[in-house]
Amino acid sequence: MFDQESDAVAPGDATLSSSEWINELLLGMRLSGLNYRRVQLAPPFGIRFDTDARCAQFHFVAQGPVILRLGEEEQVLETGDAVLLPRGGQHCLLSSPEVKSRDIEQIDALPLCDDFSCVNECTDTLDGTSPVRLFSGCMQFDLGGMQPLLTLMPAVMHVGTLLSRYPEMLPMLEAMAREARLERAGAAGILSRLADVVAASIVRGWVECDCVDIGGWIEALRDPRLGKVIAAVHREPGRDWTVAAMAVEMGCSRSVFAERFRGSLGVSPLGYVTQLRMRLATQWIVEKQLSIDQVAWRLGYGSQAAFSRAFKRSTGQTPGKLRHG
């Protein structure tokens, strides 16, 4: 699992650039593998993935080519290519466009461990066609405080667009290719961890370099003064935030700050704070198994009852139901 949590940054540090504010927020990103498959197929083939929209799907082509079809769009993935579908969805991997696809869940697989299995449907081919080797992972994708980014990401994020900027990713892809091809001892764990890191690197690269034109939330983060406020809220979500306190962080009047904040993010400053707290509360209750009292204290609520009322008002359910749901 890719899992990092930010350490507190000294209050009042105003020297960070906008990209450093973004990096600080990305420390909350989590990509947790639900299941992984090493797939070896001989053409013709077609496999379909019906990935939950709340999950991300990662594909690495150890030996290609293969066609990725998402809706009406198709793109060819060559050997060494990796893609991340941040919002999952139904998509197919095909040897050629005319081939019908089968649900990957209905294909016999050999389990190697709890969350890793192998699919091998290679047969001898008369024309000597090489098999296609793939590695796929379904991941629980949580951007922490950056969760609004998920709806802004492209449906398919391609590692090829990042290699010129991040050449250090190439050795990771080469290592994945070796592990997928040689089937060495321990390959399951190594491939899983490499997939997590490559997928996280794709997301980071997009945030840093490829989302400059989508405006709104990212535009706010790239504004040094407004980004400073957002980073401070993420750094101390349990602080008693008021519009006045946030305006002080930005260095302007309350009215100017509130207007600029809503204009950039489409939500009021205090509404943003509440949304962030509820996302963190859900993460801490479900993933970290913290008690409701602990969560309420961390998020600055005076009592469990006050937190529970805020949580239900925001999400429509009680935190207790979330824990036992």
Side-chain angles (χ1 to χ4, degrees), residues 216-235:
W217 201 71
I218 285 295
E219 182 180 343
L221 284 175
R222 292 185 183 279
D223 179 328
R225 297 174 70 199
L226 197 51
K228 178 187 174 186
V229 177
I230 296 171
V233 171
H234 284 248
R235 193 166 57 237

Side-chain angles (χ1 to χ4, degrees), residues 35-314:
N35 63 71
Y36 301 93
R37 290 184 180 90
R38 185 169 58 199
V39 181
Q40 185 165 291
L41 301 166
F45 66 82
I47 50 177
R48 185 179 72 253
F49 295 80
D50 293 307
T51 308
D52 191 304
R54 295 168 296 181
C55 298
Q57 186 73 43
F58 174 82
H59 297 296
F60 172 71
V61 183
Q63 184 170 306
V66 64
I67 297 171
L68 169 64
R69 177 184 292 160
L70 178 64
E72 300 298 319
E73 300 293 324
E74 293 182 353
Q75 57 179 287
V76 177
L77 305 179
E78 301 287 353
T79 298
D81 277 342
V83 293
L84 179 71
L85 285 69
R87 295 182 297 279
Q90 185 180 100
H91 58 284
C92 301
L93 297 177
L94 311 164
S95 58
S96 56
E98 71 279 1
V99 178
K100 292 184 178 180
S101 61
R102 296 179 294 159
D103 186 347
I104 186 68
E105 300 291 343
Q106 303 303 314
I107 300 177
D108 290 339
L110 175 66
L112 294 187
C113 55
D114 289 343
D115 58 359
F116 193 105
S117 60
C118 292
V119 173
N120 189 342
E121 289 203 335
C122 280
T123 56
D124 293 334
T125 56
L126 297 177
D127 60 0
T129 303
S130 298
V132 168
R133 293 187 176 90
L134 310 166
F135 179 76
S136 295
C138 178
M139 303 170 176
Q140 192 171 49
F141 191 17
D142 186 350
L143 282 168
M146 301 275 280
Q147 201 64 22
L149 273 182
L150 189 57
T151 59
L152 305 176
M153 292 177 177
V156 179
M157 305 171 77
H158 200 295
V159 73
T161 63
L162 300 172
L163 288 178
S164 61
R165 298 188 187 110
Y166 302 98
E168 66 272 14
M169 293 179 66
L170 186 58
M172 289 189 284
L173 296 172
E174 292 171 343
M176 289 190 72
R178 286 194 300 273
E179 295 297 332
R181 184 174 61 252
L182 300 177
E183 302 184 8
R184 299 169 62 187
I190 293 172
L191 279 169
S192 301
R193 300 293 78 77
L194 284 170
D196 292 351
V197 175
V198 171
S201 299
I202 291 174
V203 174
R204 181 182 64 182
W206 178 80
V207 170
E208 290 180 340
C209 302
D210 292 336
C211 59
V212 293
D213 297 323
I214 61 177
W217 201 71
I218 285 295
E219 182 180 343
L221 284 175
R222 292 185 183 279
D223 179 328
R225 297 174 70 199
L226 197 51
K228 178 187 174 186
V229 177
I230 296 171
V233 171
H234 284 248
R235 193 166 57 237
E236 299 181 87
R239 179 174 162 183
D240 184 18
W241 287 108
T242 63
V243 173
M246 296 166 82
V248 168
E249 288 282 343
M250 185 167 167
C252 64
S253 70
R254 286 181 295 177
S255 59
V256 169
F257 166 71
E259 181 179 355
R260 189 164 174 182
F261 193 99
R262 182 181 284 277
S264 294
L265 282 85
V267 65
S268 70
L270 296 184
Y272 183 87
V273 172
T274 298
Q275 290 176 7
L276 172 63
R277 286 173 173 171
M278 297 308 109
R279 284 197 300 269
L280 291 173
T282 299
Q283 177 182 306
W284 292 344
I285 292 170
V286 174
E287 294 183 15
K288 294 193 173 183
Q289 297 293 303
L290 294 185
S291 71
I292 296 174
D293 273 340
Q294 287 176 303
V295 173
W297 179 79
R298 282 193 177 193
L299 293 177
Y301 290 92
S303 66
Q304 178 179 325
F307 165 68
S308 295
R309 286 194 298 270
F311 191 89
K312 185 172 184 179
R313 187 164 55 245
S314 179

